């Protein structure tokens, strides 16, 4: 339903949410002018909204610079989310076992629109900070987790996603050719796992297996990221993939609740 035709749609609330979404890893503190530029809202509206969100505890304000940043309330919302997402609680023990077995970074990714979002991340000793933070959203078509999930869709839904879902270059080698992506996802559907290289970070290899629901369609995946300087595809398939598949299969039978 179009927003303008939805009589229950609250425009002022939507503007406040748009303002909150202006913050990300590259924009952790923002002024009124910067918030106006990033949201497209006029400065007076931004001033009213930020003041309200500050009073309600959703934004912190630096008294010296008068710049805003997310407050601890965001963590409270994340805490509530984790209790509502049954899949995370079911998967965590198995993800811990997998992480200890292979000694590499392990992620649980869920589908979020045309992106995947990391809802659980178990780092290894070599993992840098950015790869430990949950909540990162990435274009599904460019990730091994997203391709693993899409490989379980019907041919019609899979084709529509490949034709229309967003793409963004993260490295000089990020694949933007949709026909190449189509072949990769079709291959993933046949072999049951996805492998991608240099898509998000150069010299990084991602391997993922879908976590399927009762209908055989996945909305989540178990994913592992390794260095191409240490791992070859043959070694990944021999040493990581069996454990990754076992973990995904162990989670799948009980994963009756997924989120879009």
């Amino acid at each position: 339903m179009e927003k303008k035709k939805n009589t229950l749609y609250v425009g002022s609330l939507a503007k406040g949410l748009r303002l909150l979404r202006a913050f990300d890893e590259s924009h952790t503190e923002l002024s009124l002018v910067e918030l106006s530029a990033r949201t497209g809202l006029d400065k007076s509206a931004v001033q009213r909204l930020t003041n309200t969100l500050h009073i309600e505890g959703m934004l912190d304000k630096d008294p010296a610079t008068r710049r805003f940043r997310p407050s601890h309330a965001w963590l409270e919302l994340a805490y509530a989310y984790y209790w509502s997402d049954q899949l995370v609680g079911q998967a965590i023990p198995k993800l811990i076992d997998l992480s200890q077995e292979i000694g590499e970074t392990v992620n649980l990714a869920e589908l979020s629109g045309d992106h995947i979002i990391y809802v659980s991340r178990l780092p290894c000793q070599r993992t840098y900070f950015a790869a430990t933070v949950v909540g990162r959203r990435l274009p599904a078509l460019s990730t091994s987790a997203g391709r693993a999930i899409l490989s379980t869709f019907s041919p019609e839904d899979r084709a529509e996603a490949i034709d229309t879902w967003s793409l963004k270059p993260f490295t000089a080698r990020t694949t933007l050719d949709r026909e190449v992506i189509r072949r990769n996802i079709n291959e993933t559907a046949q072999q049951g796992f996805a492998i991608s290289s240099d898509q998000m970070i150069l010299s990084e290899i991602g391997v993922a297996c879908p976590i399927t629901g009762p209908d055989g369609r996945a909305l989540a995946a178990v994913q592992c990221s390794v260095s191409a300087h240490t791992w070859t595809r043959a070694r990944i398939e021999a040493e990581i993939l069996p454990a990754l598949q076992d973990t995904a299969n162990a989670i799948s039978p009980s994963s009756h609740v997924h989120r879009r």
Side-chain angles (χ1 to χ4, degrees):
M1 181 182 298
E2 293 182 13
K3 295 176 183 178
K4 292 182 179 179
K5 296 180 180 179
N6 188 337
T7 58
L8 298 178
Y9 186 81
V10 182
S12 58
L13 175 59
K15 290 178 181 178
L17 295 174
R18 191 194 313 175
L19 190 145
L20 293 177
R21 292 192 180 101
F23 296 91
D24 58 27
E25 68 271 22
S26 300
H27 304 87
T28 57
E29 290 190 352
L30 294 168
S31 67
L32 291 177
V33 172
E34 290 166 338
L35 281 165
S36 178
R38 283 185 58 76
T39 61
L41 300 171
D42 62 71
K43 188 176 178 180
S44 61
V46 169
Q47 189 171 33
R48 294 193 301 272
L49 290 167
T50 52
N51 181 64
T52 302
L53 291 167
H54 175 55
I55 292 173
E56 290 297 323
M58 293 302 299
L59 291 177
D60 287 337
K61 183 179 181 180
D62 188 306
T65 65
R66 304 181 68 81
R67 295 170 69 83
F68 294 89
R69 64 176 179 269
S71 72
H72 284 155
W74 292 37
L75 292 178
E76 295 179 50
L77 294 175
Y79 181 76
Y81 172 82
Y82 280 113
W83 281 103
S84 73
D85 189 335
Q86 297 178 23
L87 178 62
V88 176
Q90 294 167 355
I92 283 294
K94 299 174 179 65
L95 296 176
I96 292 173
D97 289 343
L98 174 63
S99 176
Q100 293 176 342
E101 180 179 352
I102 65 177
E104 295 289 348
T105 298
V106 172
N107 299 308
L108 176 64
E110 294 185 355
L111 194 63
S112 177
D114 62 356
H115 284 57
I116 58 101
I117 187 166
Y118 291 121
V119 295
S120 182
R121 314 192 79 174
L122 281 67
C124 67
Q125 292 181 342
R126 300 175 301 280
T127 302
Y128 55 94
F129 173 72
T132 70
V133 181
V134 298
R136 189 183 188 194
R137 296 178 79 248
L138 296 169
L141 293 179
S142 298
T143 64
S144 58
R147 294 176 185 181
I149 292 169
L150 276 171
S151 72
T152 68
F153 283 24
S154 68
E156 296 78 16
D157 289 346
R158 191 190 311 164
E160 181 181 1
I162 294 169
D163 289 339
T164 62
W165 284 12
S166 61
L167 286 169
K168 176 183 176 182
F170 287 86
T171 76
R173 301 189 63 183
T174 301
T175 304
L176 301 178
D177 187 325
R178 294 182 187 271
E179 290 308 312
V180 173
I181 294 172
R182 192 186 314 277
R183 290 195 295 271
N184 181 274
I185 293 176
N186 289 339
E187 181 180 285
T188 297
Q190 295 177 345
Q191 63 191 13
F193 65 91
I195 291 184
S196 63
S197 301
D198 303 313
Q199 296 300 294
M200 298 296 117
I201 300 173
L202 289 174
S203 300
E204 180 184 75
I205 302 174
V207 55
C209 294
I211 299 173
T212 56
D215 61 355
R217 181 174 170 128
L219 291 175
V222 179
Q223 187 263 357
C224 178
S225 296
V226 299
S227 170
H229 299 300
T230 306
W231 292 85
T232 62
R233 175 163 180 146
R235 187 180 168 211
I236 289 171
E237 292 189 18
E239 299 180 27
I240 291 180
L241 185 58
L244 202 68
Q245 291 174 318
D246 286 346
T247 300
N249 290 335
I251 297 170
S252 292
S254 58
S255 58
H256 297 298
V257 179
H258 290 293
R259 294 179 179 270
R260 288 186 181 273

